[in-house]
Amino acid sequence: MDKKRKRSRSPEKTSTERRDKKRYRVEAITPPALDINNYQLVKKLGEGSFGKVMLASYAIKKQHVALKIIEKEKEMSHKEIKTEAAILRLGRLCPFLIRAYATFQTESLVLYVMEYARGGTLHQLIKQKGYFRSHEVRFYSAEIVVGLQFLQEYGVVHRDLEPENILLNKEGHVKIADFGLACVHEFKGSKAYNGISGASGYMAPEVLANTAYNASADWWSFGVVVYEMATGKLPFSPDGTSKKQLETIMNREPYYPERVRPELCDFIKQLLKKDVKQRLGVCANVQDHPFLSSVNWRNVKKLRLEPPLKPRIVSAKLNLAMALSIPPELT
Ligand code: AMP
C-alpha cells in the first residue's frame, strides 16, 4: 500500500485565495531587521537636533549599523519623521547619501537603521588638517555636488548642510547625512516659505530673512562648506540673532587668504552670491565652473576617484560611559 498521502486541496479555493493566504502568513512574521532585540548598542556616535545616533551591532548579519533613535514625544512631527525616512530610502540610489536599511518604531521611539559611516565627519577632517589644498577641496566638492544634485532631482532641500553632517565612509568617500530638517518641494525648483532653519554660520541670507527659498539655500551652505575646507574658518561670523547674522552677511565680504587659488576663490564667490538669482547652482550648473572643469563626473559617480585623505577610522569598541545614556527601553 502506498503510504504517501497527498495533501488534498479544497476544490472551492481559487489559486488567488491560496496566494493571499500564503502572503498573509509571510507578513505576519516581523522581519529580524525590524526587531529591536536584534541590535546590540555599542556606543554613542553623535547627537542631532532630534535624537541620538548610536553605533549598534546587528546580530543576524554580524554587521555594524548606525541607529538613529528619536523619542516620539520630542519636537519632530510625524510629517518630518516620514520625510527623513523617505529621503534615507533614496540613499540606495546615490552613493553620496547615507542610506537606511530599515525604519521601525516602538511605542515611544522611532528608529532608523542606517549604514555606518566609519570615517567620521568632514568637520573632524578639516580640524585635523587645518585646511585643505585645492585638489582636496575639489574631490570633496565634486562628491557633495553629485549628492546635492541628486537630492534636487527629487525636489529635496537639505537645509542643514554643514561639515558635521557630511560623513565619510571607511575609504574616505562622502556620505551626506541628517535629513531631519529637509523639506520636499512638490514642484522641482519651486519656492516655499520654510522658516529660519539650519546651523548658525551656514544659513543663506534668504533663509535668515525668512523669505521663500528653495535649493538656492543649499548652494549657499555648500559655498560656506567649500570656504571652510579652503581656509579652516567660516566666511561670516555665526554670532548673534538671525537678524544680526543677516546684517553681517549683507554688509561684509569674506577674507580670502592669498594661498587660495584664484579659480577656487571665484568658485566660492559665485556660490556666496547674496542675490539668489546670481548664485552659482541657481543661474548656472555648478559642474560647469572652471574650478571643477577637470572633473570626470562619470568617474565621480562610479566612486572611481581616489579620496586624497585617509579618514581616521572610528573605533567600534564599547564605550561604557556613553552606553549609560541609552534610553531605558533599549537596554
Ligand atoms: P544627526 O542626528 O543625523 O545629525 O547625527 C548626529 C551625529 O551622529 C553626526 O554629526 C555624526 O557624528 C553621527 N552620525 C549620524 N549618522 C551617522 C552614520 N550613519 N554613521 C556614523 N555616524 C553618524
Side-chain angles (χ1 to χ4, degrees):
M1 193 182 139
D2 185 3
K3 291 219 171 135
K4 271 190 204 160
R5 260 191 286 152
K6 275 194 181 165
R7 208 181 334 148
S8 72
R9 280 194 168 157
S10 151
E12 311 81 31
K13 278 188 180 154
T14 64
S15 64
T16 327
E17 277 172 320
R18 274 196 296 274
R19 228 184 299 127
D20 282 351
K21 199 171 171 204
K22 220 172 174 181
R23 198 180 300 147
Y24 175 75
R25 243 186 275 137
V26 171
E27 279 172 2
I29 303 163
T30 307
L34 306 186
D35 184 343
I36 210 166
N37 297 312
N38 287 326
Y39 297 92
Q40 194 192 354
L41 298 183
V42 179
K43 65 173 183 176
K44 189 160 111 180
L45 289 171
E47 190 138 11
S49 349
F50 299 111
K52 283 189 182 70
V53 181
M54 306 290 302
L55 173 64
S57 117
Y58 177 43
I60 311 288
K61 289 199 174 171
K62 294 194 172 66
Q63 177 191 7
H64 278 118
V65 293
L67 208 57
K68 186 159 178 170
I69 304 163
I70 300 161
E71 285 173 50
K72 283 185 186 169
E73 294 309 315
K74 290 237 167 111
E75 312 95 283
M76 212 171 175
S77 71
H78 182 64
K79 189 172 167 232
E80 285 165 329
I81 290 173
K82 272 180 78 175
T83 305
E84 183 167 19
I87 300 170
L88 279 167
R89 280 197 292 276
L90 280 181
R92 272 175 303 157
L93 308 172
C94 176
F96 306 116
L97 305 181
I98 280 288
R99 62 173 287 194
Y101 299 124
T103 52
F104 61 100
Q105 53 182 312
T106 66
E107 219 166 274
S108 57
L109 305 170
V110 174
L111 298 106
Y112 305 142
V113 185
M114 304 178 289
E115 68 178 299
Y116 168 43
R118 60 181 69 220
T121 65
L122 189 66
H123 171 75
Q124 289 163 341
L125 201 60
I126 297 172
K127 278 212 145 176
Q128 196 183 308
K129 286 272 301 172
Y131 59 85
F132 295 169
R133 288 175 296 166
S134 256
H135 75 280
E136 294 162 345
V137 177
R138 187 175 294 111
F139 169 84
Y140 297 104
S141 297
E143 294 201 336
I144 298 168
V145 164
V146 173
L148 281 182
Q149 288 182 335
F150 175 87
L151 287 174
Q152 286 163 21
E153 278 296 305
Y154 286 85
V156 176
V157 183
H158 187 290
R159 298 206 298 167
D160 198 14
L161 194 73
E162 56 161 329
E164 296 251 23
N165 291 333
I166 300 169
L167 310 183
L168 303 166
N169 69 6
K170 68 177 190 312
E171 288 87 24
H173 289 287
V174 160
K175 291 276 174 186
I176 300 174
D178 194 1
F179 305 103
L181 293 180
C183 58
V184 184
H185 287 260
E186 231 163 90
F187 303 105
K188 218 169 59 180
S190 66
K191 286 187 180 183
Y193 289 89
N194 288 310
I196 303 175
S197 147
S200 287
Y202 297 87
M203 279 181 274
E206 63 271 23
V207 176
L208 290 164
N210 204 5
T211 55
Y213 58 87
N214 55 15
S216 63
D218 282 349
W219 289 122
W220 173 280
S221 307
F222 172 62
V224 176
V225 173
V226 179
Y227 182 93
E228 209 177 339
M229 286 195 278
T231 66
K233 296 192 167 61
L234 283 173
F236 302 102
S237 164
D239 299 335
T241 58
S242 5
K243 194 168 163 234
K244 174 87 182 49
Q245 289 176 51
L246 179 62
E247 229 173 74
T248 314
I249 289 176
M250 295 318 277
N251 296 317
R252 297 189 62 171
E253 286 306 323
Y255 164 72
Y256 293 89
E258 256 177 43
R259 63 178 154 71
V260 181
R261 300 251 179 95
E263 275 177 0
L264 174 51
C265 236
D266 187 69
F267 185 53
I268 301 169
K269 283 181 182 165
Q270 300 306 319
L271 288 164
L272 294 183
K273 285 277 182 203
K274 304 175 206 299
D275 178 356
V276 174
K277 288 195 268 350
Q278 288 182 27
R279 193 172 304 154
L280 184 60
V282 178
C283 68
N285 188 339
V286 179
Q287 292 189 6
D288 296 334
H289 188 276
F291 177 64
L292 298 177
S293 62
S294 61
V295 173
N296 180 330
W297 294 99
R298 231 178 106 89
N299 285 347
V300 174
K301 287 177 192 162
K302 293 205 177 272
L303 291 171
R304 285 193 191 132
L305 299 200
E306 174 89 17
L309 301 168
K310 292 283 157 245
R312 269 194 204 144
I313 300 305
V314 182
S315 155
K317 292 218 180 94
L318 178 67
N319 179 330
L320 275 178
M322 293 293 189
L324 290 174
S325 59
I326 296 167
E329 196 176 340
L330 293 178
T331 53

